[in-house]
Amino acid sequence: MKIIIAGAGAVGTHLAKLLSREKHDITVIDQNPERLSYLANNYDIMAKAFSPISIEGLRNANIADTDLFIGVTPQETDNLTACILAHKMGAKKTVARVNTYEYIDKKNQLLFKDMGIDSIILPEMIAAQEIASSVSRSWIRQWWEVEHSDLVMMGIKVRGNSRILNKPLKELCGPESPYHIVAIKRLGETIIPHGNDLILAYDLVFFMTTRKYIPYIREITGKEDLPDVKNVVIMGGSITSVFTSHLLPDYMKVKIIEKDEQRCRQLFEQINNKKVMIIHGDGRDMSLLTDENIPNAEAFVSLTSSSETNLLSCLAAKRMNIHKTVAMIDNANFVSMGESLDIGTLINKQNIAASYIYQMMLKADVSNVKSLVVANADVAEFNVKEGSKITRKPIKDLKLPQSSTLGGLVRNGQGYLINGNTIIQPGDRVVAFCIGNDLRNLSSFF
């Protein structure tokens, strides 16, 4: 595919790196020559320095032959304008990153489609949804659910009190078991396990199950004694913090700590919710945290613009015996550090944006993709078409990519776990777990 990415910031750079590995024809445009120089010197891409809303610049970048145009500059208006121009000048598909919540409302999708913008993405909202989901389930690191079904995937950090340690998976997960273990993250490596593999203490284990058995999995993983979250502290008054406060359940009380006084006033106007308290101060000030009774909170979420600050503040919260911590990591290089410090849930907006855009490039019908930053893996939901390769044989006979596994399917609204004898049918929705870059290889079966 010929792809043009407008914007060489964090999201654009991450996308360029990801897509260049798959040998696409990538052009990145930006007005900052230094950013472009880094990408051009280190990756197989073309870099062009001009404004993304320059008609002459787009023409020189061969916009008429472009399969996908992606606008991810920090300026929302530039992204929208560039996508409209790209569409009018021949680009087959366009995606715009926005900052306004109203624009992602489903009732407005047709309006943008008429303007030539095929997709709108607001990474901060998707990040907030992940944060709210994680905080609502204090004992779970990662959560995935298939819409309008009871099928779920959970990533859980198991410790020494778990009942499933040191047992071969073939004893834990038979064909009739209420859950499947689809992947294990251990010491920086994610594996697709087999029957003789064991679960060890401090593994991050990914379970596929149905809602009925969630309490059972909580019990066998030793998470029953962890408190449910009723009080949440958010450090940093970013737009992600605003979205998160709106999405958290009404029974939770929220405190947002922001050191900029003017931003505090803005937060008060934007949120205007009795369950949310805005505190002016530095979240790194231990005396402030003590005065505001922060140690009695069950969850701490750090969403400042600094990855280092977010990691360190979550580490401090851990030392105050706050069990559930969530850190925003905009610098992917800090992900392994966050894991080694046992921070908890790590959120990366670049991965969120990349997952959303990546699913548009797959030939299969994929309704959802989630990038699991801590596992170097993707979870995808495939819609099975008539005549697709995945329907021709039982799963065990299909020779699927070794770094992929199918965890469950939804058929007629009912969730089922998948085993080697399962035969996929047209109309099923299948949840797959793929390590590394194997999602494209697996998509050929659909």
Side-chain angles (χ1 to χ4, degrees), residues 37-52:
S37 177
Y38 166 78
L39 284 171
N41 291 334
N42 291 279
Y43 299 94
D44 184 19
I45 68 168
M46 180 77 71
K48 293 182 177 291
F50 64 86
S51 167

Side-chain angles (χ1 to χ4, degrees), residues 155-192:
I156 302 172
K157 190 74 168 276
V158 296
R159 303 184 189 275
N161 63 339
S162 172
R163 286 165 36 191
I164 59 175
L165 299 183
N166 306 310
K167 296 179 181 179
L169 292 195
K170 60 186 177 184
E171 295 182 11
L172 296 173
C173 307
E176 304 303 320
S177 296
Y179 63 86
H180 286 173
I181 294 174
V182 295
I184 299 172
K185 170 76 178 291
R186 177 184 300 151
L187 298 176
E189 181 183 3
T190 304
I191 62 170
I192 301 296

Side-chain angles (χ1 to χ4, degrees), residues 84-375:
I84 293 170
L85 290 173
H87 170 76
K88 293 295 184 181
M89 297 172 71
K92 295 181 179 65
K93 188 175 289 188
T94 64
V95 183
R97 178 185 180 177
V98 298
N99 304 319
T100 304
Y101 174 72
E102 182 184 18
Y103 292 170
I104 63 171
D105 195 313
K106 289 185 178 180
K107 67 183 180 183
N108 295 325
Q109 288 181 355
L110 184 58
L111 171 65
F112 285 106
K113 188 76 173 178
D114 289 342
M115 291 191 294
I117 303 172
D118 296 288
S119 253
I120 296 288
I121 179 170
L122 178 50
E124 290 79 6
M125 172 53 76
I126 305 174
Q129 291 168 342
E130 290 201 21
I131 294 166
S133 177
S134 177
V135 169
S136 298
R137 302 168 181 89
S138 62
W139 53 283
I140 294 174
R141 292 287 182 92
Q142 300 283 343
W143 172 269
W144 168 285
E145 58 183 300
V146 181
E147 191 175 8
H148 305 307
S149 82
D150 63 349
L151 192 66
V152 298
M153 188 202 74
M154 302 177 290
I156 302 172
K157 190 74 168 276
V158 296
R159 303 184 189 275
N161 63 339
S162 172
R163 286 165 36 191
I164 59 175
L165 299 183
N166 306 310
K167 296 179 181 179
L169 292 195
K170 60 186 177 184
E171 295 182 11
L172 296 173
C173 307
E176 304 303 320
S177 296
Y179 63 86
H180 286 173
I181 294 174
V182 295
I184 299 172
K185 170 76 178 291
R186 177 184 300 151
L187 298 176
E189 181 183 3
T190 304
I191 62 170
I192 301 296
H194 300 286
N196 292 321
D197 286 314
L198 308 176
I199 296 175
L200 306 180
Y202 301 102
D203 283 350
L204 179 59
V205 182
F206 292 89
F207 295 83
M208 184 69 71
T209 189
T210 53
R211 291 183 184 275
K212 176 182 177 180
Y213 293 103
I214 292 175
Y216 174 69
I217 293 176
R218 183 174 187 173
E219 176 188 344
I220 64 175
T221 54
K223 303 292 182 177
E224 285 184 300
D225 295 335
L226 297 180
D228 292 328
V229 175
K230 296 180 181 178
N231 299 280
V232 183
V233 176
I234 300 177
M235 179 171 162
S238 66
I239 189 64
T240 306
S241 303
V242 175
F243 290 151
T244 300
S245 69
H246 287 313
L247 293 172
L248 288 172
D250 288 338
Y251 64 82
M252 290 186 185
K253 295 181 179 179
V254 182
K255 293 181 178 180
I256 299 178
I257 303 174
E258 169 56 48
K259 62 181 180 179
D260 184 275
E261 186 175 352
Q262 183 177 357
R263 179 58 182 158
C264 284
R265 294 194 183 97
Q266 293 172 345
L267 289 171
F268 184 79
E269 293 176 0
Q270 291 174 351
I271 297 175
N272 193 23
N273 189 321
K274 291 182 179 180
K275 76 174 184 180
V276 181
M277 178 184 294
I278 311 299
I279 299 172
H280 175 226
D282 191 333
R284 296 168 296 184
D285 183 347
M286 299 302 292
S287 62
L288 171 69
L289 298 181
T290 302
D291 291 343
E292 294 296 339
N293 206 26
I294 301 306
N296 289 331
E298 294 85 21
F300 183 90
V301 183
S302 193
L303 303 177
T304 76
S305 58
S306 167
S307 298
E308 298 97 321
T309 298
N310 294 338
L311 287 175
L312 292 173
S313 59
C314 282
L315 187 60
K318 284 277 188 182
R319 290 177 176 172
M320 289 188 287
N321 294 320
I322 298 177
H323 169 72
K324 183 67 180 182
T325 56
V326 180
M328 179 74 78
I329 306 296
D330 283 340
N331 187 336
N333 295 326
F334 285 97
V335 171
S336 58
M337 182 186 297
E339 273 290 285
S340 66
L341 294 172
D342 198 22
I343 291 300
T345 301
L346 303 176
I347 303 291
N348 182 276
K349 288 187 295 186
Q350 292 93 306
N351 269 42
I352 288 172
S355 297
Y356 183 90
I357 294 169
Y358 189 72
Q359 78 181 60
M360 299 177 62
M361 302 172 57
L362 299 172
K363 294 181 180 179
D365 184 359
V366 182
S367 55
N368 204 353
V369 175
K370 178 177 180 178
S371 179
L372 304 176
V373 62
V374 298

